[in-house]
Amino acid sequence: MQLLEERILTDGNILGENILKVDNFLTHQVDYRLMKAIGKVFAQKYAEAGITKVVTIEASGIAPAVYAAEAMDVPMIFAKKHKNITMTEGILTAEVYSFTKQVMSTVSIAGKFLSKEDKVLIIDDFLANGQAAKGLIEIIGQAGAQVVGVGIVIEKSFQDGRRLIEDMGIEVTSLARIKNFENGNLNFLEADA
Amino acid sequence: MQLLEERILTDGNILGENILKVDNFLTHQVDYRLMKAIGKVFAQKYAEAGITKVVTIEASGIAPAVYAAEAMDVPMIFAKKHKNITMTEGILTAEVYSFTKQVMSTVSIAGKFLSKEDKVLIIDDFLANGQAAKGLIEIIGQAGAQVVGVGIVIEKSFQDGRRLIEDMGIEVTSLARIKNFENGNLNFLEADA
């Protein structure tokens, strides 16, 4: 997605070896125009897939996910992230390890919002190690629903997340793919949409 | 907002004495149509106010806030909630006490996203004790920006939040105002928009 790649080059900040900060349009301050455009690109990509739900994880995934949901005219569900969770009836959960924060969290979705008939598009802001997406895929699987694809705003292609998801037989659609960081700049791979 | 009140009556679940669960359209599964309509109502209410930024707090505030931002054509900022925070340069923070969870958290916004010229509309999903809104007002004040109003999707009018904010001289616009819960039903006060 050219508009997104241009925005990353203009407004993204590269910190250290491999951290990309996009807090001025995605992860803290949010540019609704870009989010809306992103939502439309995901919807076009999955126009023929019969998506019935968009699922994301709080908090930075919510804005792109709600616009994808709008463009596909389906509900959006955001999974909750907890440090400690008391198991509650009807709550589907998965354990997710954050390599960045080096903590395990529990991700959850109320089972009543997913059924065997659902075809789900997962949306998230970043794909790095793929642990968050893997957790969502597990939860959606517990509900018997089908994950049709994983839509990512920014993929760090030098990490393992994409392969992890593709090895589960699930398509990844990343709108920007970062090949590597080099002397304070970044190089893109060809994006999926 | 009649559409919202009707939706609360249809899809809201009253648990115990004074808990309203709206996880099927606002706090977990999100109905983008309703969020879009809510965003437009806030934008109409503040059409003449010269709003330059919408500020909310993760996570349930994000969907109504991004649609309010769209309707007013301004950026949206979502404040971060942390259990423990290491003070970082340029980060504005406030301590927020949650009566529900009985824990203190730190709410933060990067100072670079707010300036003295900003006129801010705060948006949040619920107003109960008003502690979250108070924290956001403090942070925005630290940046020297002006809080023009606080837009709330669902106000629990039997709690102190509204008075707390109004006592600071700030207007509250609640789209649904719950007067009380009674035998598993709820009664509304007249909403602000």
Side-chain angles (χ1 to χ4, degrees), chain A residues 13 21 23-24 26-33 35-36 53 58-60 62-63 66-67 69-71 73-80 83 108-110 112-113, chain B residues 13 21 23-24 26-33 35-36 53 58-60 62-63 66-67 69-71 73-80 83 108-110 112-113:
Chain A
N13 283 307
K21 215 171 166 186
D23 62 351
N24 46 11
L26 178 58
T27 60
H28 188 15
Q29 180 170 258
V30 174
D31 176 355
Y32 80 84
R33 280 172 195 268
M35 296 304 114
K36 202 176 170 78
K53 298 270 166 66
E58 59 183 5
S60 302
I62 293 175
V66 78
Y67 280 112
E70 176 179 345
D73 194 17
V74 298
M76 182 272 279
I77 299 161
F78 61 94
K80 312 274 184 161
K83 281 283 150 46
S108 73
I109 295 179
K112 63 181 173 180
F113 295 128
Chain B
N13 283 306
K21 215 172 164 185
D23 62 351
N24 46 10
L26 178 58
T27 59
H28 188 15
Q29 180 170 259
V30 174
D31 176 355
Y32 80 84
R33 280 172 195 268
M35 296 304 114
K36 203 176 170 78
K53 298 269 167 66
E58 59 183 4
S60 302
I62 294 176
V66 78
Y67 280 112
E70 176 179 345
D73 194 17
V74 298
M76 182 273 279
I77 299 161
F78 62 94
K80 312 274 184 160
K83 281 283 149 46
S108 73
I109 295 179
K112 63 180 173 181
F113 295 128

Side-chain angles (χ1 to χ4, degrees), chain B residues 86-137:
Chain B
T86 320
M87 294 296 289
T88 314
E89 209 186 319
I91 304 295
L92 308 174
T93 64
E95 299 300 307
V96 171
Y97 183 71
S98 165
F99 285 93
T100 321
K101 299 181 183 167
Q102 297 189 302
V103 291
M104 190 71 94
S105 352
T106 304
V107 170
S108 73
I109 295 179
K112 63 180 173 181
F113 295 128
L114 291 169
S115 79
K116 289 188 172 54
E117 282 69 44
D118 276 319
K119 293 184 164 194
V120 176
L121 177 62
I122 292 173
I123 299 280
D124 210 357
D125 57 337
F126 271 94
L127 176 63
N129 294 291
Q131 297 301 303
K134 181 166 162 271
L136 292 178
I137 291 166

Side-chain angles (χ1 to χ4, degrees), chain A residues 156-188:
Chain A
K156 291 177 162 179
S157 307
F158 52 89
Q159 291 188 262
D160 294 332
R162 187 188 184 94
R163 198 175 49 194
L164 181 77
I165 297 167
E166 288 181 339
D167 283 352
M168 299 167 86
I170 296 170
E171 182 184 54
V172 176
T173 300
S174 299
L175 304 191
R177 302 185 66 203
I178 297 171
K179 182 184 174 190
N180 58 19
F181 295 98
E182 212 173 29
N183 308 320
N185 292 310
L186 61 82
N187 299 302
F188 289 115

